[in-house]
């Protein structure tokens, strides 16, 4: 490399660093920047121009040196600027505007259904429930028969179902997964089954033909209704906050006996009555009960030895309640302006 | 089921206000959905569960109220004065299908004077929404509401031959129902017929021909048991539903049929005059044996998780009409009344005890064994993938699996032996179970286009419904992403998508195995379309929606997208590579910009770099691509940086420069490229 160019580079370095250390304010710094790094007349620019006079074999090495100096100077400049800023240099001459907002950057979001399901898995996971999945394309046996819902029985009316041309169906609830779990595993069982279900409901603000449920199932010796009460109370407190109250009302499901519908105290009005809870102070969120021995018989469990409970949560319903969403259609529509709010 | 408080008081003297009654019934499992004042009376709307046919009569509800309030239940007398003639001599009944009609009770009342029913009866019927017609018809409706047992009154003289046959309809046989509706029947429908043809559709509605009217003097009163499933089938097929069929569909009470017949006959005689022929024609053969159920005291405690006093258990079940047949220190054996077909097991009795004791009084457990919850590898991998893509600014979507047929058929990257079609789709034409998530994402794009959202980066993790060659269902977990930005990005239409794809593959330690094989896919634009492979295995597809399909999805733009088989990645597992030690010595970066033919892809350049062995070269990284002035047409400038590092020492500029020069020389030679000035 040409000795003279090399010397000019080192000279520039020394002078620039000296100028920087004597700079007292941003204006001084800017003067140094323009003198050395300026795009059109900076001294480094001149050095680069001088490269072309070098023999070809020296050019690359000298170029690299100039580039290294450029990086070093840029670093030293910002370092000195920071020093001056810290010591109260002179913000009057154009320091940082801390009131100015940042430029918007695109951010990703998990779907609110996904987030709600994760919350359910977290809370019930802490209570020992492992998440499992089941198929959505189901047989009549799993969706109905093994769950004690006989053909041509009015009980089937509340489980209106999409049928497929091949004789299978789209599950109308997550309960068939209960049957599959018990068919494949001996007690004790402690699982939740989050998943997608389908019902040919007329679409409106509270009904969509495709939605999500989360089933829960616990089977062991001595599992009782009071265990169900405890697990659901803790679970709902976990999802909706401490102090959430539950109200169990007798109900009828073919696959549980005794059966209950479970209302949760309104988190918006704390039970005083508001629009969300239709002034009742309560919102219906779950169905539950002790597993009907008929279901145990269908899967070959010993009905004398084992007892268990099952429950089902409407996931959209829970999310609508948690976030004050008033139209179920928003979930599957995926308007980005909706997705970005969660 | 509507319940009039005034009417209810006839059977049970409860002291609750209508509001309290509504609350108590709700708490006992008979939810009150409405409460309205009708004159001096209050009428509750009770939503009766489908397993409680007994509560479709006020008497059944009265039994519940009596149990709730611990008051006595008064069942009305039903003993008509016997006339001189006997029913058996006046009417003949033959049942051809004993299975569909196990019991048919016929009574005859002669010499009635048809006219309006008394004011109190009209008022009660009206309160429950039933229009009063005449004293005979009103009694049948009144007793239906009272007992839950449907009844039908025929004009005896209009039944030809004074004989009825309960039989299946002949193919294409017609019946004119009350109100003038004509229906064509088939062999699955059950009718009541005389010599000339059907006079009633069994359990559903009477015929016009034998209707009781002002001129009626003699009445044939039917009270029967019809098989619930048969009534249900006929109702569904003919799109009919009546107070009567609603109850038969939920099954009626064997003994109730006989009781209601007596009760109605006595009421007709007292309100319309006339004389009830003695006895009845009753085709019921054997009275079904009452079920016996033993409830064990320990079992009640075991199921409810609380101690229940023996006398409480006994008291509730006796109040509900069960009969104790045997008692021991261990438990009680009960006889179940015929009006409670829902009680078939011990656990059913436990529920009766629990709901009348009060669910709210049952305690919550304080001790539950601990257990560890485990998430499946698929579940954990799915969560990890979602987080990765969200971190790269993709929004997650959740989309429906049922697609409009044409949209579903147009994009099918995956082999499927057949398609799944809904027989009762939510909307005409929307009957296709998706085989790819891409049509779903295109619909998301359309929705956002309509909402004037300009830029969209979304992904979906969901199932497609494929069919294996053996006919079994393969609900495959797929992952798809779509990107559509109005402004061109420095890394092109696929840059952001590739970043997402690489991050996903990285989560499975499979980044280095990806092979992108450009090739035309029918739904992607030619030249902007590729198949993805992981080693030799087909992983998925990537490309931009073809111009010719844009209209099908109603889009103004052509989004870029990919879809991959997530199950395949999950099956590979997520290897936990141990920590890679942090480098001790600094890296040195050198940038290169090559001017290349348009046809030279990144992967050719990367392969050319890889072909120059250099142990100190750590990585190469794409920086930018440039087309246009001053480059000639058909050329592009591809800039990337190369990082050098040694694990043992700090590299000197000189040695890096030498290594880099060697690389650049090899590249320009091999790729026919020039260095960009
Ligand atoms: Zn509220």
């Amino acid at each position: 490399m040409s000795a003279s160019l090399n010397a000019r580079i080192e000279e520039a370095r020394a002078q620039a660093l000296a100028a920087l250390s004597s700079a007292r304010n941003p204006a001084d710094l800017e003067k140094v920047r323009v003198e050395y790094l300026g795009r059109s007349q900076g001294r480094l620019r001149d050095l680069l121009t001088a490269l072309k006079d070098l023999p070809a074999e020296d050019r690359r090495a000298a170029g690299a040196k100039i580039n290294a100096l450029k990086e070093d100077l840029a670093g030293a400049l910002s370092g000195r600027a920071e020093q001056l800023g810290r010591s109260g240099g002179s913000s009057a001459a154009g320091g940082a505007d801390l009131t100015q907002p940042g430029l918007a950057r695109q951010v990703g979001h998990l779907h609110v259904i996904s987030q709600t399901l994760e919350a359910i898995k977290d809370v019930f996971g802490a209570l020992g429930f492992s998440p499992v999945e089941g198929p959505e394309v189901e047989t009549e046996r799993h969706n109905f028969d093994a769950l004690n819902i006989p053909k041509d029985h009015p009980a089937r009316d509340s489980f209106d179902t999409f049928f497929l041309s091949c004789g299978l169906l789209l599950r109308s609830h997550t309960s068939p997964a209960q049957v599959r779990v018990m068919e494949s595993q001996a007690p004790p069982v402690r699982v939740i089954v989050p998943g997608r279900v389908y019902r040919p409901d007329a679409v409106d603000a509270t009904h969509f033909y495709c939605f999500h449920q989360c089933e829960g199932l616990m089977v062991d010796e001595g599992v009782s209704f009071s265990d169900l009460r405890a697990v659901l109370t803790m679970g709902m407190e976990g999802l909706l906050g401490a102090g959430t109250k539950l109200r169990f009302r007798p109900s009828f499901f073919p696959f549980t006996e005794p059966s209950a519908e479970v209302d949760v105290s309104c988190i918006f009005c704390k039970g005083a009555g508001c629009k969300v809870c239709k002034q009742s102070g309560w919102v219906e969120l779950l169905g539950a009960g002790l597993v009907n021995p008929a279901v145990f018989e269908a899967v070959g469990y010993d009905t004398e030895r084992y007892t268990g409970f099952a429950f089902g949560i409407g996931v959209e319903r829970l999310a609508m309640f948690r976030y004050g969403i008033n139209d179920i259609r928003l979930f599957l529509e995926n308007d980005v302006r909706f997705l970005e709010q969660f | 089921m509507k319940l009039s408080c005034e009417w209810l008081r006839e059977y049970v003297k409860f002291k609750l206000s209508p509001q309290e009654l509504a609350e108590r019934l709700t708490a006992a499992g008979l939810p009150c959905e409405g409460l309205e004042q009708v004159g001096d009376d209050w009428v509750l709307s009770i939503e009766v569960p489908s397993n409680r046919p007994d509560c479709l009569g006020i008497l059944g509800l009265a039994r519940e109220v009596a149990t709730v309030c611990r008051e006595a239940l008064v069942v009305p007398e039903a003993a008509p004065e016997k006339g001189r003639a006997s029913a058996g001599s006046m009417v003949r009944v033959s049942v051809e299908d004993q299975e569909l009609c196990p019991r048919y009770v016929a009574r005859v009342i002669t010499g009635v004077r048809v006219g309006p029913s008394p004011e109190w009866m009209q008022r009660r019927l009206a309160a429950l929404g039933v229009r009063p017609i005449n004293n005979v018809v009103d009694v049948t409706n009144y007793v239906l509401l009272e007992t839950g047992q449907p009844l039908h009154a025929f004009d005896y003289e209009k039944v030809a031959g004074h004989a009825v046959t309960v039989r299946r309809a002949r193919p294409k046989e017609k019946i004119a129902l009350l109100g003038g509706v004509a229906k064509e029947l088939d062999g699955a429908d059950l009718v009541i017929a005389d010599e000339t043809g059907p006079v009633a559709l069994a359990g559903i509605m009477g015929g016009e021909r034998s209707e009781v009217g002002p001129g009626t003097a003699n009445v044939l009163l039917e009270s029967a048991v019809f098989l619930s499933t048969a009534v249900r089938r006929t109702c569904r097929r003919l799109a009919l539903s009546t107070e009567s069929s609603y109850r038969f569909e939920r099954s009626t009470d064997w003994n109730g049929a006989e009781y209601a017949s007596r009760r109605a006959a006595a009421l007709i005689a007292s309100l319309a005059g006339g004389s009830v022929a003695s006895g009845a024609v009753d085709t019921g053969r054997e009275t079904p044996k009452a079920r016996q159920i033993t409830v064990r005291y320990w079992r009640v405690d075991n199921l409810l998780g609380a101690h229940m006093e023996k006398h409480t258990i006994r008291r509730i079940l006796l109040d509900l009409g069960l009969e104790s047949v045997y008692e021991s220190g261990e438990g009680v054996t009960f006889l179940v009344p015929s009006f409670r077909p829902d009680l078939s097991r011990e656990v059913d009795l436990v529920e009766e005890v629990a709901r009348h004791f009060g669910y709210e009084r049952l305690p919550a457990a304080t001790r539950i064994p601990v257990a560890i919850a485990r998430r499946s590898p698929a579940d954990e991998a799915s969560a990890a993938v979602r987080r990765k893509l969200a971190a790269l600014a993709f929004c997650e979507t959740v989309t429906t699996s049922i697609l409009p047929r044409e949209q579903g058929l147009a994009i099918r990257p995956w082999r499927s032996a057949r398609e799944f079609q809904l027989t009762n789709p939510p909307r005409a034409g929307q009957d296709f179970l998706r085989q790819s998530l891409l049509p779903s994402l295109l619909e998301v794009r359309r929705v956002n286009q309509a909402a004037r959202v300009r830029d969209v980066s979304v992904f979906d993790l969901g199932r497609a419904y494929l069919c294996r060659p053996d006919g079994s269902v393969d609900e495959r977990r797929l992952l798809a992403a779509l990107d559509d930005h109005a402004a061109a990005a420095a890394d092109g239409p696929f840059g952001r998508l590739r970043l997402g794809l690489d991050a996903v593959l990285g989560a499975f330690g499979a980044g280095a195995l990806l092979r992108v094989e450009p090739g035309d896919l029918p739904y992607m634009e030619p030249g902007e379309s590729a198949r993805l492979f992981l080693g030799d295995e087909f992983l998925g597809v990537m490309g931009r929606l073809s111009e010719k399909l844009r209209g099908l999805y109603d889009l103004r733009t052509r989004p870029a997208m990919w879809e991959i088989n997530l199950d395949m990645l999950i099956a590979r597992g997520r290897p936990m590579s141990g920590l890679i030690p942090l480098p001790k010595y600094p890296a040195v970066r050198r940038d290169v910009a090559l001017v290349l033919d348009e046809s030279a892809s990144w992967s050719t350049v990367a392969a050319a770099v890889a072909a120059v062995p250099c142990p100190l070269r750590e990585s190469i990284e794409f920086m930018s691509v440039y087309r246009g002035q001053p480059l000639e047409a058909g050329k592009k400038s591809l800039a990337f940086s190369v990082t050098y590092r040694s694990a043992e020492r700090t590299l000197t500029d000189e040695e890096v420069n030498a290594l880099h020069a060697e690389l650049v020389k090899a590249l320009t030679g091999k790729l026919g490229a020039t260095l960009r000035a």
Side-chain angles (χ1 to χ4, degrees):
Chain A
M1 186 191 293
S2 142
S4 70
L5 184 60
N6 204 16
R8 280 175 64 196
I9 293 171
E10 288 313 317
E11 182 191 33
R13 178 189 296 272
Q15 290 173 350
L17 292 176
L20 274 180
S21 61
S22 56
R24 289 286 163 266
N25 54 46
D28 294 347
L29 287 181
E30 181 60 11
K31 239 194 274 163
V32 177
R33 194 192 67 75
V34 171
E35 180 177 353
Y36 291 89
L37 301 174
R39 219 167 271 251
S40 52
Q41 314 214 312
R43 283 173 63 178
L44 264 64
R45 166 97 201 165
D46 298 342
L47 291 173
L48 282 168
T49 318
L51 277 179
K52 68 178 193 300
D53 303 328
L54 290 185
E57 64 270 22
D58 288 347
R59 254 181 236 160
R60 204 175 302 282
K65 253 198 148 133
I66 297 170
N67 273 326
L69 172 60
K70 194 166 143 191
E71 278 181 31
D72 291 349
L73 286 188
L77 253 168
S78 65
R80 182 67 185 147
E82 204 182 314
Q83 266 180 356
L84 290 177
R86 259 207 312 273
S87 62
S90 126
S91 57
D97 176 2
L98 278 74
T99 66
Q100 169 219 298
L103 270 179
R105 274 116 177 131
Q106 207 176 346
V107 176
H109 300 263
L110 293 181
H111 196 282
V112 61
I113 290 293
S114 231
Q115 292 190 44
T116 307
L117 286 173
E118 280 299 313
I120 293 173
K121 288 180 202 172
D122 280 352
V123 166
F124 284 95
L127 293 166
F129 287 78
S130 300
V132 296
E133 287 183 30
E136 292 165 25
V137 177
E138 266 292 6
T139 61
E140 288 217 21
R141 175 182 141 68
H142 286 98
N143 199 66
F144 293 124
D145 303 333
L147 289 165
N148 199 29
I149 313 172
K151 214 183 176 76
D152 285 322
H153 193 277
R156 277 206 188 185
D157 286 352
S158 30
F159 298 94
D160 261 354
T161 304
F162 284 120
F163 290 93
L164 301 174
S165 50
C166 58
L168 297 169
L169 50 80
L170 288 176
R171 65 177 176 193
S172 49
H173 49 165
T174 42
S175 305
Q178 266 187 41
V179 178
R180 289 184 178 272
V181 168
M182 290 192 279
E183 279 173 341
S184 66
Q185 170 187 351
V189 174
R190 223 189 272 197
V191 295
I192 51 169
V193 191
R196 184 179 280 223
V197 300
Y198 305 83
R199 285 189 200 166
D201 286 330
V203 172
D204 61 26
T206 52
H207 295 89
F208 201 74
Y209 56 82
C210 168
F211 55 101
H212 296 76
Q213 280 188 341
C214 184
E215 189 84 1
L217 175 70
M218 176 166 173
V219 182
D220 202 349
E221 292 176 20
V223 173
S224 71
F225 200 83
S226 73
D227 294 325
L228 169 64
R229 279 201 76 123
V231 164
L232 286 187
T233 305
M234 288 189 275
M236 288 301 118
E237 278 200 297
L239 288 166
L240 298 170
T244 301
K245 289 193 177 47
L246 269 60
R247 185 172 74 175
F248 285 65
R249 286 183 287 111
S251 186
F252 169 64
F253 305 112
F255 35 90
T256 51
E257 189 82 15
S259 302
E261 266 175 287
V262 185
D263 302 328
V264 171
S265 59
C266 180
I267 52 175
F268 293 98
C269 62
K270 306 277 174 224
C274 69
K275 222 170 89 190
V276 173
C277 58
K278 300 196 188 91
Q279 307 305 330
S280 72
W282 298 94
V283 173
E284 187 187 320
L285 277 189
L286 303 114
L290 296 185
V291 180
N292 193 316
V295 177
F296 282 160
E297 277 162 13
V299 299
Y301 275 16
D302 181 344
T303 56
E304 275 295 289
R305 183 168 168 201
Y306 296 112
T307 52
F309 64 72
F311 61 86
I313 308 175
V315 177
E316 276 83 356
R317 242 185 138 96
L318 175 65
M320 287 167 93
F321 186 45
R322 282 177 98 193
Y323 299 105
I325 299 166
N326 57 9
D327 192 330
I328 196 171
R329 288 168 290 200
L330 289 167
F331 291 106
L332 267 66
E333 196 177 73
N334 297 292
D335 186 320
V336 168
R337 297 165 303 176
F338 171 79
L339 302 179
E340 283 176 348
Q341 293 186 38
F342 301 96
Chain B
M1 174 76 198
K2 294 208 169 181
L3 175 61
S4 143
C5 287
E6 182 270 329
W7 192 347
L8 178 65
R9 268 181 230 280
E10 185 167 332
Y11 317 114
V12 55
K13 302 280 173 266
F14 62 96
K15 297 183 186 72
L16 305 171
S17 71
Q19 290 73 15
E20 285 167 332
L21 182 66
E23 258 170 49
R24 297 289 291 274
L25 282 174
T26 300
L30 294 159
C32 177
E33 303 287 310
L35 180 61
E36 59 168 334
Q37 195 164 14
V38 180
D40 296 339
D41 193 8
W42 285 84
V43 176
L44 285 69
S45 299
I46 308 285
E47 196 190 300
V48 177
S50 64
N51 66 335
R52 290 299 304 274
D54 61 309
C55 289
L56 296 174
I58 295 181
L59 257 177
L61 289 169
R63 190 173 289 106
E64 289 288 327
V65 174
T67 309
V68 164
C69 305
R70 303 203 193 178
E71 297 283 352
L73 176 74
V74 180
V75 178
E77 286 288 321
E81 243 172 75
K82 286 176 189 149
R84 259 172 294 139
S86 82
S89 67
M90 295 189 69
V91 64
R92 274 176 300 121
V93 177
S94 62
V95 175
E96 282 183 7
D97 197 317
Q98 195 75 26
E99 192 204 346
L100 297 192
C101 175
R103 187 173 204 184
Y104 193 99
V105 180
R107 277 194 155 78
V108 179
I109 304 104
T110 53
V112 300
R113 284 177 306 279
V114 174
S117 52
E119 189 275 333
W120 61 267
M121 179 175 275
Q122 295 203 17
R123 185 165 32 88
R124 285 183 176 179
L125 290 176
L128 268 65
V130 175
R131 189 167 54 89
I133 295 170
N134 61 47
N135 46 12
V136 174
V137 173
D138 288 356
V139 165
T140 59
N141 286 331
Y142 183 84
V143 176
L144 172 144
L145 294 170
E146 181 179 56
T147 64
Q149 167 67 42
L151 299 152
H152 187 68
F154 298 96
D155 185 328
Y156 175 76
E157 299 306 336
K158 291 180 189 162
V159 174
H162 301 155
V164 292
T165 303
V166 184
R167 61 166 170 84
R168 287 170 183 268
R170 321 245 184 266
K172 306 221 165 172
E173 196 165 25
K174 295 199 174 56
I175 184 169
L177 297 169
L178 290 176
V181 188
K183 294 281 178 188
E184 186 176 289
L185 309 176
D186 72 20
D189 303 323
L190 195 69
V191 295
I192 316 300
D194 64 9
E195 293 166 358
T196 58
V199 288
L201 193 51
I204 301 169
M205 204 186 271
E208 216 167 23
R209 177 156 65 85
S210 54
E211 192 178 356
V212 169
T216 301
N218 303 324
V219 172
L220 168 61
L221 181 68
E222 164 198 300
S223 180
V225 177
F226 297 113
L227 187 71
S228 59
T229 52
V231 174
R232 184 173 154 89
R233 264 200 301 271
T234 297
C235 281
R236 291 233 147 173
R237 199 178 59 75
L238 299 177
L240 288 170
S241 179
T242 61
E243 292 278 348
S244 166
S245 69
Y246 186 79
R247 287 170 173 80
F248 279 120
E249 282 187 44
R250 279 153 186 76
S251 89
T252 53
D253 175 17
W254 177 276
N255 295 319
E258 202 277 326
Y259 168 81
S261 169
R262 276 187 281 125
R263 169 80 173 141
L267 271 175
I268 291 173
S270 83
L271 300 185
S275 145
V276 180
S278 71
V281 177
D282 184 350
T283 69
R285 287 182 189 159
E286 221 173 309
T287 303
K289 219 164 152 263
R291 256 190 312 272
Q292 286 198 359
I293 304 176
T294 302
V295 58
R296 295 162 295 175
Y297 296 130
W298 73 267
R299 188 64 164 172
V300 178
D301 293 1
N302 166 252
L303 285 167
L304 298 183
H307 179 61
M308 207 53 68
E309 296 296 340
K310 293 176 185 177
H311 64 85
T312 307
I313 297 171
R314 286 184 70 256
R315 199 270 303 164
I316 290 171
L317 294 171
L318 292 173
D319 282 358
L320 287 172
L322 284 77
E323 206 178 304
S324 158
V325 289
Y326 175 77
E327 300 197 15
S328 75
E330 248 85 281
V332 193
T333 302
F334 288 100
L335 217 48
V336 177
S338 60
F339 54 78
R340 289 300 303 271
D342 59 312
L343 304 181
S344 60
R345 293 165 180 270
E346 183 181 29
V347 61
D348 299 326
L349 301 195
V350 176
E351 179 178 64
E352 296 305 290
V353 172
R355 70 184 179 88
H356 275 288
F357 177 78
Y359 279 11
E360 284 302 296
R361 288 170 65 200
L362 292 171
T366 50
R367 283 162 182 268
I368 296 173
V370 294
I372 182 96
R374 287 177 206 287
R375 295 182 70 157
S376 68
D379 190 32
E380 284 189 330
S382 302
V385 161
R386 285 191 175 101
R387 283 194 303 266
K388 286 256 187 252
L389 289 173
L392 290 169
F394 285 87
C395 267
E396 186 188 13
T397 63
V398 173
T399 52
T400 173
S401 323
I402 307 172
L403 301 177
R405 165 152 296 266
E406 279 183 21
Q407 293 189 5
L409 281 171
I411 303 185
R412 286 182 295 166
W414 313 99
R415 212 167 277 153
S416 181
R418 53 169 300 172
E419 56 183 78
F420 296 104
Q421 188 180 357
L422 273 67
T423 58
N424 51 338
R427 222 175 288 147
Q430 192 181 348
D431 62 358
F432 185 83
L433 214 46
R434 72 178 173 197
Q435 296 186 6
S436 163
L437 307 181
L438 294 175
S440 302
L441 285 182
L442 290 169
E443 166 65 9
V444 171
R445 182 52 184 120
R446 191 199 60 76
V447 164
N448 284 286
Q449 171 182 286
R452 295 167 193 276
V453 177
R454 214 177 47 149
D455 301 327
V456 172
S457 303
V458 286
F459 75 96
D460 198 354
L461 194 169
R463 297 186 193 185
Y465 308 80
L466 307 170
C467 183
R468 298 191 188 89
D470 68 1
S472 62
V473 189
D474 176 6
E475 289 188 24
R476 192 173 297 173
R477 210 182 265 103
L478 300 178
L479 180 65
L482 175 149
D483 188 58
D484 194 3
H485 276 66
D491 49 1
F494 293 101
R496 186 192 293 265
L497 282 175
R498 227 352 249 281
L499 198 63
L501 179 61
D502 287 337
V504 169
L505 295 178
F508 295 91
L513 296 174
L514 177 69
R515 243 173 2 98
V516 181
E517 235 172 56
D520 289 348
L521 296 162
Y523 38 87
M524 303 287 194
E525 187 67 12
E528 293 182 296
S529 155
R531 289 181 178 78
L532 307 175
F533 292 86
L534 211 54
D536 291 330
E537 269 185 293
F538 179 61
L539 174 70
V541 296
M542 180 155 89
R544 275 178 89 180
L545 180 67
S546 75
E547 181 61 37
K548 63 179 197 293
L549 282 188
R550 210 162 47 83
L552 179 61
Y553 298 95
D554 207 2
L555 288 176
R556 286 194 291 271
T557 53
R558 290 190 303 108
M561 51 205 179
W562 52 250
E563 174 166 77
I564 59 170
N565 179 350
L566 191 60
D567 275 337
M568 191 174 122
L569 288 172
I570 290 169
R572 290 176 50 90
R574 288 196 299 147
M576 259 313 283
S577 55
L579 177 72
I580 299 163
L582 304 186
K584 282 201 185 79
Y585 300 96
V588 182
R589 250 180 71 150
R590 288 288 180 268
D591 301 342
V592 198
L594 296 177
V595 178
L596 294 154
D597 281 342
E598 197 54 86
S599 61
S601 67
W602 169 261
S603 66
T604 355
V605 174
V609 172
V612 180
C614 173
L616 297 177
R617 194 174 60 233
E618 193 176 70
S619 60
I620 64 169
E621 200 178 315
F622 168 84
M623 285 167 66
S624 66
V625 62
Y626 174 80
R627 297 176 174 85
Q629 286 299 329
L631 301 179
E632 314 166 23
K635 296 274 182 188
K636 64 182 174 187
S637 158
L638 183 63
F640 57 98
S641 70
V642 186
T643 304
Y644 298 88
R645 194 200 301 271
S646 159
E648 278 114 34
R649 62 200 162 77
T650 302
L651 297 176
T652 64
D653 273 349
E654 284 71 19
E655 64 187 318
V656 170
N657 289 343
L659 289 171
H660 195 64
E662 193 187 326
L663 175 69
V664 170
K665 194 170 148 213
L667 289 182
T668 47
K670 195 174 306 175
L671 300 168
T674 52
L675 276 179
R676 185 158 180 215

